[in-house]
Amino acid sequence: MMRNIVCFAVVLVVADLYLTSGRFVNYVPNDRLEDAKDKVSVGDELTALEDESLDSGVTKNSRNLLNHLIPTREKRKAVKDSSRRWTNNEIPFEIDYFQFNKDEVQIIYDAMYIWQHHTCLRFRPRETHDRNFVKFMKGEFCYSTTHGMNGGQQNISLPQVCFNRQSTLHEIGHAIGFYHEHKRPDRDQYITVHEENIEDKFKYAFEKSNEIETYGLPYDYTSIMHYPWNAFSKNNEITIQTKDPSFQNIIGQTQDLSYYDIQLANLMYNCR
Ligand SMILES: [Zn+2]
């Protein structure tokens, strides 16, 4: 059964409590990811995804849309502060190989590969001179330091309880600079937040944010960054109601990057 993504934001940290779950620009084989794989202990060989299997991880709808994409620069949900974009579109990373097993490391690589495949972002093992980097580790709960490059080490915590490819894609999204979809300033046109059903201590996670830059992209019910209908419900009643009922059971269920997730990252980082 599919589990749901729910993160909550705490100033610089976005935490996921209940987790489940382009443009083809300048794809470069992951040479540097290969380097990192060497750091995995003997016997823990990792296999990079083949293009074919990667494509199968992207929704058919997205692929169709991608084929008809007409790039436009006027249309640009992301952190507004451009200083929080990753320098040179490169995201140095470390993985705590003592905390993750082989399958988990593979999922982390898969998720980085998917983001990289659809954008001009590049993940590479951290080198000694890299001050700013992402570290994959297992904390007490799922979270990602937000939003974008904050400076220094920023953790992506993926403990067993919420570990899978969907949540890994989601947490990397925060590190790239993505906010939760339902925090967009225009969200009230698309969803109704039922505060009366939300646990008091998590109500802040449903607040709209003025720090979000939408780049003119439409509200995306299928975003990897969207909460599910019952996120942080205190009574199992609905907390997020979609104005378009057909999306009610879709929000928070997405297994892959959506068309607009990919678009957004490409706009944020000026991918061509
Ligand atoms: Zn989140």
Side-chain angles (χ1 to χ4, degrees), residues 5-9 14-16 19 142-144 146 170-171 174 178-180 224-225 227:
I5 287 181
V6 175
C7 282
F8 61 90
V14 174
D16 291 299
L19 283 163
C142 279
Y143 65 82
S144 177
T146 61
H170 176 105
E171 299 301 349
H174 286 309
F178 280 46
Y179 281 73
H180 291 133
I224 195 79
M225 306 308 291
Y227 270 18

Side-chain angles (χ1 to χ4, degrees), residues 101-112:
N101 64 35
K102 174 185 171 185
D103 291 340
E104 292 169 335
V105 172
Q106 181 70 60
I107 288 171
I108 292 170
Y109 274 97
D110 288 352
M112 289 191 289

Side-chain angles (χ1 to χ4, degrees), residues 75-184:
K75 291 193 170 184
R76 294 195 177 218
K77 143 195 116 190
V79 59
K80 277 182 180 171
D81 184 351
S82 60
S83 70
R84 289 165 72 173
R85 304 284 189 268
W86 286 88
T87 307
N88 298 325
N89 295 0
E90 292 182 348
I91 305 181
F93 69 90
E94 285 186 0
I95 296 176
D96 189 330
Y97 292 106
F98 292 103
Q99 291 190 309
F100 295 103
N101 64 35
K102 174 185 171 185
D103 291 340
E104 292 169 335
V105 172
Q106 181 70 60
I107 288 171
I108 292 170
Y109 274 97
D110 288 352
M112 289 191 289
Y113 187 95
I114 289 167
W115 274 110
Q116 175 164 306
H117 185 81
H118 290 292
T119 69
C120 59
L121 285 165
R122 292 294 169 258
F123 293 86
R124 61 172 174 79
R126 181 198 178 201
E127 296 172 357
T128 50
H129 60 82
D130 290 317
R131 282 186 55 251
N132 306 321
F133 65 100
V134 165
K135 181 165 186 172
F136 293 92
M137 42 78 76
K138 289 188 176 183
E140 291 183 30
F141 50 91
C142 279
Y143 65 82
S144 177
T145 313
T146 61
H147 294 93
M149 187 183 75
N150 289 301
Q153 175 179 331
Q154 54 189 88
N155 295 336
I156 291 181
S157 169
L158 295 164
Q160 196 74 40
V161 65
C162 52
F163 192 95
N164 56 34
R165 192 183 78 158
Q166 181 189 21
S167 57
T168 308
L169 285 169
H170 176 105
E171 299 301 349
I172 292 173
H174 286 309
I176 288 171
F178 280 46
Y179 281 73
H180 291 133
E181 193 72 16
H182 70 276
K183 291 178 75 71
R184 283 173 53 128

Side-chain angles (χ1 to χ4, degrees), residues 23 69-77 184 213-219 259-260 262-271:
R23 191 148 66 105
L69 173 65
I70 300 172
T72 165
R73 289 295 159 198
E74 307 118 90
K75 291 193 170 184
R76 294 195 177 218
K77 143 195 116 190
R184 283 173 53 128
E213 167 62 64
T214 65
Y215 286 88
L217 295 175
Y219 192 88
Y259 168 70
Y260 288 119
I262 293 167
Q263 276 282 280
L264 180 61
N266 278 287
L267 289 167
M268 286 175 70
Y269 286 92
N270 292 313
C271 302

